[in-house]
């Protein structure tokens, strides 16, 4: 997520480089949740290869020093990416385990997902800082998952999942061209009252409140999810054609959003 440098989340938007689900082979919903990862300042390791290859990641000493500050810092630098969001979630998990050492990995995952903030900006635009290309995003479960990491809420929650907290699988009806979630609460999450779709993913990012649909068990159609349903990425994911291809482009280490 892109925080825009503010302490509140009302202006936060999904970053242009954030990967969307579902997964290619088994159609698992991803991500599980989202966290801040754009222009994150952290410690700089001595003789860091990234800093040498991408000097734009180095920070000026004047950013955090007021007396005699000059040149670039040898202690801190800035990076953007999902790899920067991951340690934020890891830290949240560590806080949960510190508070409740008996929590299992499934219970940590479930609690973080259930307490994630669901009320996000429904639509947003991310602008790549390198090529200025813009990317339109919709805050659905394939973009934000269960929502935006909320550490205070997670630490005050005492709900315990009793079964494996598996991420759900998305299925597509080739006749209606609608997508839905394949769920079985007898083998995952546990009590459907505590861990149902609305509880974990929230109505805003899951149900018809976010998209035009007549049935809450249906997510959306091809055109809403993918734009042009003939796009090559759609063909690769769902096997509509044998010739569909999708190019993959690696972003540079100093890539971020404006």
């Amino acid at each position: 997520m892109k925080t825009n440098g503010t302490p509140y989340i009302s202006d936060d938007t999904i970053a242009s480089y954030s990967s969307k689900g579902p997964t290619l082979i088994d159609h698992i919903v991803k991500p599980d949740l989202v966290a801040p990862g754009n222009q994150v300042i952290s410690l700089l390791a001595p003789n860091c290869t990234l800093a040498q290859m991408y000097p734009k990641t180095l920070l000026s000493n004047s950013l955090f020093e007021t007396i005699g500050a000059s040149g670039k810092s040898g202690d801190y630098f800035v990076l953007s990416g999902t790899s920067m969001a991951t340690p934020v979630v890891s830290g949240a998990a560590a806080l949960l385990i510190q508070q409740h050492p008996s929590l299992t990995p499934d219970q940590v995952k479930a609690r973080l997902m259930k307490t994630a903030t669901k009320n996000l900006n429904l639509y947003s635009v991310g602008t790549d800082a390198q090529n200025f290309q813009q990317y339109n995003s919709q805050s659905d479960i394939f973009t934000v998952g269960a929502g935006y990491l909320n550490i205070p809420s997670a630490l005050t929650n005492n709900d315990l999942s009793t079964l494996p907290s598996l991420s759900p699988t998305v299925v597509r009806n080739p006749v209606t061209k609608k997508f839905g979630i394949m769920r079985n609460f007898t083998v995952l999450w546990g009590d459907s009252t505590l861990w149902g779709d609305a509880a974990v993913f929230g109505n805003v990012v899951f149900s018809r409140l976010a998209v035009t649909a007549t049935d809450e068990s249906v997510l959306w159609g091809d055109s809403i999810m993918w734009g042009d349903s003939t796009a090559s990425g759609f063909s690769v994911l769902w096997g509509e054609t044998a010739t569909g291809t999708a190019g993959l482009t690696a972003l540079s280490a100093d890539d971020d959003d404006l």
Side-chain angles (χ1 to χ4, degrees):
M1 291 291 285
K2 177 184 174 184
T3 66
N4 291 300
T6 65
Y8 44 83
I9 68 171
S10 58
D11 63 345
D12 291 10
T13 55
I14 195 72
S16 65
Y17 47 78
S18 184
S19 179
K20 296 184 179 182
T23 56
L24 178 61
I25 303 300
D26 45 10
H27 302 162
I28 301 296
V29 172
K30 75 164 189 175
D32 290 324
L33 48 71
V34 291
N38 194 67
Q39 297 185 343
V40 176
I41 297 174
S42 190
L43 298 176
L44 173 62
N47 301 315
C48 175
T49 301
L50 275 177
Q52 294 174 14
M53 294 178 62
Y54 303 98
K56 287 192 298 182
T57 62
L58 295 173
L59 297 173
S60 297
N61 282 314
S62 59
L63 184 65
F64 51 88
E65 295 181 4
T66 57
I67 300 177
S70 63
K72 298 294 185 180
S73 171
D75 299 311
Y76 304 98
F77 75 148
V78 60
L79 285 177
S80 298
T82 53
S83 295
M84 301 305 289
T86 298
V88 178
V89 182
S90 298
L95 291 173
L96 278 178
I97 295 171
Q98 181 184 48
Q99 186 179 58
H100 300 288
S102 62
L103 287 177
T104 67
D106 280 318
Q107 290 169 339
V108 170
K109 173 184 175 180
R111 192 170 293 185
L112 290 177
M113 290 179 66
K114 183 174 182 180
T115 58
T117 299
K118 320 296 182 188
N119 188 22
L120 303 175
N121 293 318
L122 185 54
Y123 301 103
S124 63
V125 179
T127 304
D128 188 281
Q130 303 302 310
N131 56 27
F132 302 105
Q133 184 172 347
Q134 292 187 327
Y135 300 87
N136 297 317
S137 292
Q138 172 179 289
S139 294
D140 52 52
I141 64 172
F142 299 118
T143 304
V144 300
Y148 201 174
L149 178 69
N150 187 327
I151 297 177
S153 181
L155 292 175
T156 58
N157 183 274
N158 293 310
D159 295 336
L160 289 175
S161 59
T162 57
L163 294 171
S165 301
L166 301 176
S167 299
T169 301
V170 63
V171 292
R172 177 178 181 267
N173 187 321
V175 177
T176 63
K177 297 185 178 180
K178 298 291 184 180
F179 294 81
I181 293 297
M182 184 170 63
R183 40 166 110 58
N184 184 347
F185 289 115
T186 64
V187 296
L188 57 92
W189 297 103
D191 187 345
S192 61
T193 302
L194 289 176
W195 303 101
D197 291 339
V200 176
F201 291 101
N203 283 327
V204 174
V205 296
F206 179 82
S207 75
R208 63 171 177 248
L209 297 180
V211 292
T212 302
T214 58
D215 182 355
E216 288 190 1
S217 65
V218 174
L219 296 183
W220 38 75
D222 293 348
S223 60
I224 298 178
M225 178 179 174
W226 296 104
D228 181 0
S229 62
T230 62
S232 60
F234 181 93
S235 301
V236 171
L237 183 62
W238 298 101
E240 291 285 296
T241 68
T243 59
T245 59
L248 300 178
T249 303
L251 300 178
S252 65
D254 63 340
D255 196 44
D256 58 8
D257 275 10
L258 293 175

